Amino acid sequence: MKAAARLIVAATIAVATATGAAAQSPAAAAPDNRVMVVPFENANGAARVYWLAEASAVLLTDDLTALGVRAMPREERLLAFEQLGIPPSPVLSHATVIRTGQLVGAAQVVVGSYTLTGETLTVRARAIQLDSGRLLPEVSESGPLPEIFQIYGRVARRLASDSSPSSGDPETGHPPLPAFEQYIKGLVARSPSTQVGFFSQALTLSPAFHRARLGLWTVYTEQGEHQRALEVVRQVSPNQPLSRRARFLASLSMLELAQYGPAADALGDLGRERPDASIVNNQGIIQFRRPAGTSLVKASFFFEEAARMDPSDASLFFNLGYARWTERDLAGAVDALREVVRRDPADGDAHFVLAVVLQASGSSVEAGRERELARQLSSKYAEWEARPGGITTMPRGLERVKTELDVPPALRLNDAIVAAGQRDQQDQALFHLESGKRLFQAEHDAEAVAELRRAVYLAPYQSEAHLMLGRVYLRTGRLSLAVSELKISIWSADTIAARLALAETYLQLKDPAAARSEAQVVLRRDPGNLDARRITERVAAN
């Protein structure tokens, strides 16, 4: 847990547990989609209810969930805004809101505003249908300020008026209003000390309001006060709905405090209740961090099982490759790390770690290519290389602790954003690839290289782009570069075309054994391949 953002997400992240509502509802999504509620605008700028901007999103999310709508939790919304570089402001354009919702896989976004006139609160809300960008009819409710929960409950019912019948009641389960106000103020406060003050006051007003305890855990953890974080989260009652999450957060605190035995016991209990890849991953982290020789079970055992449970999560494969390196299983480490960069080509740490493993395996050319890809993604990797033994020494502390629990792969926010970003990148990469092909055919080699390198930057494992680059370099006599590009092409997708181009390159490098080897690979797949036969004949003739 090196990044503060991950710690924040860990505090209270969850997925909506209600079943999906009917797809035709203004606020209800299909079972595999969700609704995102963004903070409301303080329309008349009433200072005393500034906190209602965030509270509107929190309350409506809770109320819609109670009515059977799959509403996105606040923590995922904040992470989405952070990853997309969007300020968490209630005043966002509809275009920004629509784009954000699309990237996180939401079906609809709820926007709105509120005004306070005297003691009367008026709330206006409307849903945006993301597939069409259409604004659905506005919903408006008013009432006395102390009846905030009832007002937002009525708004939620009207937004979800067509949803399937639900036994949930959006107006039950709320804490006393003064405690809720302090809690929201703690969420939006800027300084840790102010946050602690608000959350503590919320608990004074309502000791059973355990959400505030998870808020305190977040603040203490972000400040590195892991013992205080552990103490506060242990106060969540075992029979509370937040108990499972609280116990998971306690295990994270114990992990940071190097209390590996108790952390392992806590994770074991959680896993027996309900298995989850995050639990198994963190059990592997414990084994990874324990002193050598203190456990008979390898960390890679847990990481391999976690990756089997959730093969869509690149971080699990990263931990597996990282652990296999420490266990001196170089081939296994390479396999796992290649799975990472296939799932997320923009994972710079994975490219750099893969380079170190390849270098140790004797594959210096391939290692150099991975280092180049890492440098394209961030300048920090050049700094890592500059350290003593930088290209052969594995950086420490890169293992990835999972801070989300019970999140189905289809709903994992980061995967949705990465997938959307990759789709955009792939579209751009395809554009540059097609442009590079045309330039290659016209023998405009310098321009072709520029276009193809843009394609490779956007999609590092686009096999055809590397094949085209290899052919350009072969035609222009840059044979070592051609070999590198063609090997990358083969790693990405082992095609006959790439093998033949590599064999031709080896012939020009006067390495007949390597040329024959590549040609024979082709002939084993396609015994009648005339190009491969000609290459073997040329080798024999020389």
Side-chain angles (χ1 to χ4, degrees):
M1 291 191 302
K2 305 304 180 187
R6 290 181 179 176
L7 300 178
I8 294 172
V9 173
T12 50
I13 196 159
V15 289
T17 57
T19 58
Q24 69 270 24
S25 167
D32 292 333
N33 295 316
R34 290 178 292 175
V35 173
M36 181 173 70
V37 186
V38 298
F40 281 17
E41 181 182 359
N42 185 355
N44 63 349
R48 59 185 288 207
V49 287
Y50 76 90
W51 56 277
L52 265 180
E54 182 63 34
S56 297
V58 173
L59 278 173
L60 272 183
T61 296
D62 290 347
D63 291 346
L64 289 170
T65 299
L67 290 167
V69 177
R70 192 187 294 277
M72 179 184 295
R74 173 182 187 269
E75 295 72 35
E76 294 194 27
R77 165 170 53 86
L78 290 183
L79 183 56
F81 280 31
E82 179 179 331
Q83 291 183 333
L84 298 170
I86 300 170
S89 166
V91 186
L92 294 173
S93 70
H94 284 171
T96 299
V97 169
I98 289 171
R99 180 59 175 157
T100 304
Q102 290 170 335
L103 286 172
V104 300
Q108 297 167 348
V109 174
V110 175
V111 299
S113 65
Y114 62 92
T115 57
L116 182 65
T117 305
E119 290 298 307
T120 300
L121 177 69
T122 300
V123 178
R124 295 179 174 84
R126 65 196 314 173
I128 302 175
Q129 190 74 35
L130 293 185
D131 57 358
S132 63
R134 183 168 63 93
L135 277 168
L136 300 181
E138 184 179 81
V139 170
S140 178
E141 291 288 341
S142 298
L145 182 60
E147 296 181 6
I148 285 174
F149 295 142
Q150 293 88 338
I151 294 169
Y152 281 92
R154 293 196 298 271
V155 171
R157 284 193 189 92
R158 292 181 62 187
L159 287 171
S161 59
D162 294 332
S163 63
S164 301
S166 170
S167 60
D169 185 348
E171 296 174 22
T172 62
H174 293 301
L177 181 56
F180 181 75
E181 178 180 344
Q182 297 300 307
Y183 167 70
I184 296 295
K185 287 179 176 178
L187 290 180
V188 299
R190 298 299 183 90
S191 74
S193 61
T194 304
Q195 288 181 295
V196 168
F198 281 128
F199 290 140
S200 299
Q201 182 63 19
L203 287 168
T204 299
L205 294 169
S206 179
F209 188 27
H210 294 299
R211 257 183 164 177
R213 287 194 169 85
L214 300 191
L216 279 174
W217 182 92
T218 297
V219 181
Y220 290 144
T221 301
E222 189 177 8
Q223 298 301 305
E225 298 184 50
H226 300 295
Q227 186 60 47
R228 295 185 71 179
L230 178 59
E231 291 168 0
V232 74
V233 82
R234 276 177 168 168
Q235 296 174 40
V236 176
S237 304
N239 60 344
Q240 294 295 317
L242 293 176
S243 172
R244 179 172 168 85
R245 201 167 354 143
R247 287 181 289 143
F248 182 70
L249 299 184
S251 75
L252 297 179
S253 297
M254 289 185 280
L255 181 58
E256 292 301 317
L257 291 166
Q259 296 177 9
Y260 299 131
D265 291 342
L267 290 170
D269 291 342
L270 290 167
R272 282 185 288 274
E273 290 175 7
R274 185 162 66 251
D276 187 79
S278 293
I279 293 171
V280 179
N281 176 82
N282 289 1
Q283 289 174 317
I285 296 292
I286 290 172
Q287 301 303 103
F288 189 82
R289 292 185 181 178
R290 273 177 164 160
T294 59
S295 175
L296 297 178
V297 182
K298 294 180 179 181
S300 62
F301 169 82
F302 291 98
F303 296 139
E304 187 170 5
E305 175 62 15
R308 185 195 63 78
M309 294 171 69
D310 186 0
S312 67
D313 191 339
S315 292
L316 303 178
F317 286 95
F318 180 89
N319 285 340
L320 176 59
Y322 199 44
R324 283 175 171 169
W325 158 266
T326 65
E327 297 163 6
R328 308 313 298 167
D329 178 5
L330 300 187
V334 168
D335 290 342
L337 291 164
R338 282 181 175 160
E339 293 301 319
V340 181
V341 295
R342 286 193 178 99
R343 285 163 174 77
D344 183 6
D347 190 330
D349 283 5
H351 284 295
F352 189 88
V353 170
L354 178 55
V356 173
V357 179
L358 288 168
Q359 190 74 40
S361 304
S363 302
S364 57
V365 173
E366 297 89 336
R369 183 58 182 162
E370 292 298 328
R371 285 195 297 273
E372 179 186 344
L373 290 171
R375 287 194 299 270
Q376 289 177 352
L377 293 165
S378 173
S379 60
K380 75 176 182 180
Y381 302 110
E383 299 172 5
W384 288 10
E385 287 182 57
R387 299 171 184 170
I391 65 171
T392 57
T393 303
M394 184 68 71
R396 298 179 61 84
L398 298 183
E399 66 273 15
R400 298 176 180 179
V401 176
K402 299 301 292 184
T403 57
E404 303 172 12
L405 181 65
D406 300 332
V407 182
L411 300 183
R412 190 183 299 108
L413 174 67
N414 189 62
D415 284 356
I417 292 176
V418 167
Q422 287 180 357
R423 285 194 299 272
D424 288 345
Q425 286 190 346
Q426 287 165 0
D427 289 343
Q428 294 179 48
L430 183 59
F431 171 81
H432 292 299
L433 171 59
E434 294 302 323
S435 177
K437 284 182 181 178
R438 290 192 295 270
L439 290 165
F440 172 78
Q441 291 166 357
E443 299 189 8
H444 298 311
D445 293 330
E447 294 89 341
V449 167
E451 284 295 285
L452 292 168
R453 287 186 65 82
R454 291 188 185 100
V456 167
Y457 175 79
L458 292 166
Y461 284 84
Q462 222 287 3
S463 176
E464 193 174 4
H466 287 289
L467 172 58
M468 294 303 301
L469 271 173
R471 286 174 170 166
V472 175
Y473 290 143
L474 174 60
R475 185 163 70 186
T476 56
R478 289 176 282 182
L479 302 181
S480 61
L481 290 175
V483 168
S484 177
E485 293 296 338
L486 293 169
K487 283 188 174 182
I488 291 285
S489 179
I490 292 168
W491 294 342
S492 306
D494 194 345
T495 65
I496 285 178
R499 290 281 184 181
L500 289 172
L502 185 55
E504 181 63 36
T505 306
Y506 281 135
L507 279 178
Q508 295 198 26
L509 282 168
K510 303 192 184 310
D511 187 346
R516 183 191 302 110
S517 176
E518 296 299 328
Q520 287 174 345
V521 170
V522 173
L523 290 172
R524 282 195 294 271
R525 296 184 191 172
D526 180 12
N529 189 285
L530 295 179
D531 290 326
R533 288 189 177 279
R534 290 190 188 101
I535 289 171
T536 57
E537 290 169 1
R538 287 166 62 188
V539 170
N542 291 328

